[in-house]
Amino acid sequence: MIRLGAGRPERIVAVGAHCDDIAIGAGGTLLTLCHARPGIRVDALVLSGGGTEREQEEAAALAAFCPGADLRLTVHKLPDGRLPVHWDEAKAAVEELRGQTDPDLILAPRTDDAHQDHRGLAQLIPTAFRDHLVLGYEIVKWDGDLGRTAAYQPLSTEIAEEKVRLLQEHYPSQRHRPWYDREAFLGLARIRGIECHERYAEAFAVTKLTLNLGG
């Protein structure tokens, strides 16, 4: 297992098509980064849920997932499940975000995610952020689209447990979903941990990566 660091990130972008996507896909990584880097800037963009109870859930959740961070959250009002027919608005939101920050790291959905909203947002990110490290997070769901991943962020047992607790605490609107439970979240983290010789981990797809091994 080769371990390569990404330096000391000072600015992060985290994007999701829906409220809770970021927390489910990369909540443990956010907790790890924010605990290690107090004051780190996190620009978060969510394309749907604006003006609803889900926006309130997202604001409270990301504040908890980014302790001590300089968090800047924007939640838009695109209709759930309709990103392909709202491509212009989605692209404008991503371009606006790009004008506000030059991040060291981007956490985004995977380009091969089966959900059209997730996949569409993932495809938009490199059109605005052309020279940035993008880690594509995964979200377990009925589509069965989980696959082999290229990058892992190990999670301590404490961080993994905290992630699950915060997901249950801050997204009451999702608790009725059959896949939204402790076993699903910890189970996937345990599997990804096995794959990188750790107890728990979050896994990411990497479409393009430039190395600087002599730097």
Side-chain angles (χ1 to χ4, degrees):
M1 178 65 65
I2 299 175
R3 296 177 182 265
L4 297 175
R8 296 175 62 83
E10 302 288 345
R11 299 174 305 278
I12 301 171
V13 157
V15 298
H18 316 101
C19 297
D20 79 18
D21 285 355
I22 296 170
I24 292 173
T29 297
L30 284 174
L31 285 167
T32 300
L33 281 167
C34 291
H35 282 307
R37 302 287 294 157
I40 191 171
R41 175 170 166 175
V42 179
D43 287 271
L45 170 68
V46 180
L47 293 182
S48 65
T52 71
E53 67 172 359
R54 300 221 60 200
E55 180 176 5
Q56 299 173 18
E57 289 180 345
E58 186 75 340
L62 289 188
F65 275 101
C66 301
D70 177 10
L71 174 63
R72 308 177 189 196
L73 169 65
T74 301
V75 182
H76 287 272
K77 299 181 179 181
L78 273 65
D80 188 355
R82 297 291 186 270
L83 188 149
V85 296
H86 291 270
W87 191 258
D88 288 346
E89 297 103 306
K91 183 170 177 58
V94 172
E95 293 283 358
E96 181 180 4
L97 175 64
R98 177 65 182 97
Q100 297 169 354
T101 184
D102 185 22
D104 303 304
L105 171 66
I106 300 172
L107 302 171
R110 296 178 297 123
T111 56
D112 59 351
D113 193 296
H115 194 297
Q116 67 272 17
D117 291 355
H118 301 171
R119 186 172 63 253
L121 176 56
Q123 292 168 347
L124 279 171
I125 291 301
T127 70
F129 296 91
R130 294 183 176 274
D131 299 303
H132 299 80
L133 174 60
V134 181
L135 298 181
Y137 57 72
E138 55 185 356
I139 297 178
V140 63
K141 50 189 175 300
W142 73 271
D143 304 82
D145 62 352
L146 299 180
R148 300 189 68 174
T149 52
Y152 298 85
Q153 171 58 52
L155 306 178
S156 68
T157 298
E158 293 75 18
I159 290 291
E161 292 281 357
E162 185 177 4
K163 173 183 175 177
V164 173
R165 179 182 64 79
L166 292 177
L167 286 172
Q168 294 290 349
E169 176 182 342
H170 287 289
Y171 295 104
S173 67
Q174 304 304 298
R175 292 175 189 157
H176 69 284
R177 298 185 182 276
W179 54 268
Y180 196 92
D181 60 32
R182 173 185 173 84
E183 288 180 301
F185 299 133
L186 270 187
L188 180 58
R190 180 68 186 109
I191 290 170
R192 296 313 191 191
I194 290 170
E195 293 173 353
C196 66
H197 298 162
E198 299 285 348
R199 182 65 184 174
Y200 297 108
E202 286 177 339
F204 300 91
V206 180
T207 303
K208 187 181 293 187
L209 177 64
T210 300
L211 301 176
N212 183 19
L213 300 180

